[in-house]
Amino acid sequence: MQIIGGLLAVATLTAATPPSPSDQPAHATTPPAAVASRHPTETLTPLLQQSLPNVKGKTFTSAIVDFPPDARARPHRHGKAFVYAYVLEGSVRSGLAGEPARTYHQGENWVEQPGAHHVLTENTSRTERAKLLVVFVSDTGDKLKVDDPTS
């Protein structure tokens, strides 16, 4: 619990001072679908990645996911990762396969079970950005996000 609290504090400070494009880490990713989409897409910027010392084969990763206005993520999965998401700024609509979509506002959070199919993730605003702190507990070496193939 202290780790999550500390990460929330760091993430809040990080979110309060947006980096300039030259400050973006080399590992920040914008999915290639962003060019072909009618909507902008999200950017995932890792904050911390560390093997869990008491759980062999598992890695803890925290990241900021930034959704520009009107941004939408492609449907995706997070492999076998357990995912925790906390809304730092704005509002995000999220939907998993087989469940109704739900809108989460600043200060709200949710979890995703391993193998969940994330069919909808979008910024609800056309004028304001939204930011999430996302924490993954994954198998070491697994990709954290795999977009569905395009049809």
Side-chain angles (χ1 to χ4, degrees), residues 20-140:
S20 69
S22 63
D23 291 337
Q24 286 289 335
H27 56 272
T29 57
T30 300
V35 178
S37 175
R38 295 182 334 210
H39 297 272
T41 190
E42 83 283 11
T43 303
L44 182 136
T45 305
L47 296 173
L48 173 73
Q49 187 168 48
Q50 179 175 330
S51 294
L52 293 175
N54 58 342
V55 185
K56 186 176 179 167
K58 296 290 184 181
T59 296
F60 172 96
T61 304
S62 61
I64 298 293
V65 180
D66 185 13
F67 288 87
D70 203 31
R72 180 177 297 168
R74 289 184 47 200
H76 61 275
R77 297 177 191 269
H78 297 289
K80 296 178 186 174
F82 177 80
V83 180
Y84 168 81
Y86 178 87
V87 183
L88 295 169
E89 187 178 320
S91 297
V92 174
R93 184 173 298 114
S94 176
L96 302 176
E99 298 179 15
R102 182 167 168 208
T103 300
Y104 297 91
H105 304 281
Q106 183 175 1
E108 295 182 320
N109 61 85
W110 73 92
V111 297
E112 297 175 24
Q113 298 301 316
H117 187 200
H118 213 148
V119 294
L120 174 69
T121 316
E122 65 184 1
N123 183 346
T124 60
S125 175
R126 292 183 177 182
T127 59
E128 302 294 326
R129 68 184 334 101
K131 287 187 181 184
L132 304 174
L133 169 66
V134 181
V135 174
F136 303 88
V137 177
S138 62
D139 290 341
T140 300

Side-chain angles (χ1 to χ4, degrees), residues 1-21:
M1 198 56 133
Q2 290 178 341
I3 291 173
I4 299 253
L7 286 172
L8 289 175
V10 169
T12 301
L13 289 174
T14 303
T17 55
S20 69

